[in-house]
């Protein structure tokens, strides 16, 4: 791992999309609305392949009891627990609308409850939610059924309820174990609490436990984050997601409570990332890609070894590429060659459902160019290689001609040992996996156009 130098990280670990979709959500347009979404559902229902392929479900629960200053998620801060009961009724309306167009009993192989804080809901409300989903959809055995958990909102008995409801994967938001950092971001949770919950999750038989970490938070130093990593290594979750904090107070109001002078320098952030890569790989974790790590026997690591990784709006997955129905305020879904997003405010979301409409307010119908580039980007990010011939046959194009400019751009990465170019294809090297976002960005037509516009605007 020593070959992953701070210099390489500074040059190639560049800010950019996470490519949970291509094109990315910032390219969605308001011209795409309910009528387009209904048409996409109709095409799925009438198509043989669509009906035979299991669905993925995402349910967004926006409520949180307290504000985490770093958070950029769509959330509603409230102590009023009754709000989730009312919200549950609107989720039911949205599910009913989907059933009207797709029919009951569509197979589901993946479910993710995100937020906000899904465990803001009471045990009884979670039971009602799962009963409602099971009434309308058929959950297949062996699927991935996961839920995000704020450790401050659960105990052993609540985890037992989640297991009873069929969830087999948990994701705990930890971010940092350092008490001073926790205080600075308004998220105080003793490490002992997290350790106890992870132990309980293992006793209850959850198949995979993930821990989220963030580097670049206020008061963090490379040395303090080393101590957090030591505790995480002792905790030994099955998966670890290591995210970089992006300070954008002009876009995300809660971040204005963070004191900019307390943020670590750029060099310190690079050092934290470099030392994290060393620490986690030395501890036996496999680097999956895009800031995700897993133990060698975890299903995600096995899928990577076997070339079966996929990527969707929840990140890397072992589930095959499939349509995603997104439920709840601000949630993003995919049906066929379209993406859609629900209203971002709960008032607009509820108003549209009260009128009998899908709450879709923006989205995108993918062009042929989008679809070709999506297949290229996902091959690189999930399998780490692609053969020109497979793209040529699938899309009736000449890869080398179509992407001549992109292949030229990759030559610099090849000289740094990040990719290997041959007459037949592109291979991301072992070191290149740590910079796969940068490799993918070369094929992102929108990102490249933005860069060109920026360059020319500076010249003009």
């Amino acid at each position: 791992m020593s070959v992953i130098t701070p210099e390489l990280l500074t040059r190639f670990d560049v800010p950019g999309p996470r490519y949970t979709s291509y094109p990315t959500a910032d390219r969605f347009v308001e011209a795409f609305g309910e009528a387009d979404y209904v048409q996409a559902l109709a095409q799925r229902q009438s198509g043989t392949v669509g009906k035979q392929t299991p669905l993925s479900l995402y349910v967004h629960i926006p409520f949180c009891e307290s504000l985490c200053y770093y958070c950029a998620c769509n959330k509603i801060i409230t102590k009023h627990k009754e709000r989730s009961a009312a919200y549950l009724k609107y989720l039911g309306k949205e599910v009913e609308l989907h059933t009207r167009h797709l029919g009951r009993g569509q197979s589901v192989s993946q479910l993710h409850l995100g937020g906000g804080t899904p465990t803001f809901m009471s045990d009884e409300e979670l039971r009602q939610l799962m009963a409602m989903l099971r009434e309308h959809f058929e959950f297949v055995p062996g699927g991935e059924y996961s839920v995000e958990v704020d450790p401050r909102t659960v105990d052993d008995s609540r985890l037992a309820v989640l297991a009873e409801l069929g969830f087999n994967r948990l994701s705990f938001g930890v971010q940092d174990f350092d008490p001073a950092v926790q205080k600075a971001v308004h998220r105080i949770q003793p490490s002992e609490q997290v350790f106890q919950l992870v132990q309980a999750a293992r006793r209850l038989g959850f198949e995979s436990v993930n821990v989220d970490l963030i580097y670049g938070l206020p008061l963090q130093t490379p040395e303090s984050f080393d101590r957090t990593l030591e505790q995480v290594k002792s905790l030994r979750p099955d998966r670890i997601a290591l995210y970089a904090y992006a300070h954008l107070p002009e876009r995300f109001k809660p971040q204005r409570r963070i004191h900019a002078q307390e943020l670590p320098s750029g060099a310190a952030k690079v050092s934290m990332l470099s030392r994290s890569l060393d620490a986690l790989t030395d501890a036996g974790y496999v680097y999956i890609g895009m800031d995700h790590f897993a133990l060698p026997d975890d299903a995600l690591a096995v899928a990577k070894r076997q070339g079966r990784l996929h990527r969707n709006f929840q990140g890397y997955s072992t589930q095959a590429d499939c349509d995603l129905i997104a439920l709840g305020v601000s949630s993003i879904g995919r049906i066929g060659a379209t993406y859609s997003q629900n209203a971002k405010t709960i008032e607009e979301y509820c108003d549209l459902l009260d009128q009998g409409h899908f709450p879709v307010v923006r989205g995108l119908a993918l062009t042929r160019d989008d679809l070709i580039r999506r297949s290229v980007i996902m091959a690189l990010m999930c399998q780490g290689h692609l053969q020109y011939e497979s793209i040529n046959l699938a899309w009736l194009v000449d890869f080398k001609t179509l992407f001549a400019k992109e292949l030229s751009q990759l030559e610099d990465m090849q000289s740094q040992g990040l990719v290997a170019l041959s007459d037949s294809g592109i291979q991301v090297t072992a070191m290149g996996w740590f910079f796969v976002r940068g490799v993918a960005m070369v094929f992102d037509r929108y990102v490249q156009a933005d860069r060109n516009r920026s360059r020319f605007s500076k010249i003009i």
Side-chain angles (χ1 to χ4, degrees), residues 199-302:
Q199 290 169 2
R202 288 181 174 135
R203 286 197 306 272
L204 290 164
F206 284 94
E207 294 175 21
S208 186
V209 174
N210 175 78
V211 162
D212 286 345
L213 300 175
I214 300 178
Y215 67 94
L217 294 174
L219 301 184
Q220 280 181 338
T221 66
E223 293 73 24
S224 74
F225 203 61
D226 284 346
R227 293 191 291 272
T228 285
L229 290 170
E230 285 300 314
Q231 289 175 281
V232 170
K233 284 158 60 177
S234 175
L235 183 64
R236 207 152 179 82
D238 303 281
R239 301 178 185 179
I240 298 169
L242 176 69
Y243 300 111
Y245 171 64
H247 191 57
L248 299 168
E250 66 282 359
R251 284 182 58 193
F252 305 112
K253 196 173 179 180
Q255 295 185 358
R256 297 172 194 172
R257 303 193 185 197
I258 287 177
H259 303 298
Q261 65 271 21
E262 294 182 346
L263 292 171
S265 66
K269 283 185 70 174
V270 169
S271 178
M272 284 182 223
L273 176 56
S274 178
R275 290 156 78 150
S276 297
L277 296 176
D278 285 342
L280 295 176
T281 53
D282 289 347
Y285 282 90
V286 175
Y287 185 69
I288 303 301
M290 288 300 294
D291 313 323
H292 283 71
F293 301 79
L295 292 174
D297 59 350
D298 184 84
L300 211 55
V302 173

Side-chain angles (χ1 to χ4, degrees), residues 119 232 308 351 389:
T119 44
V232 170
R308 296 186 294 103
D351 182 54
E389 186 178 3

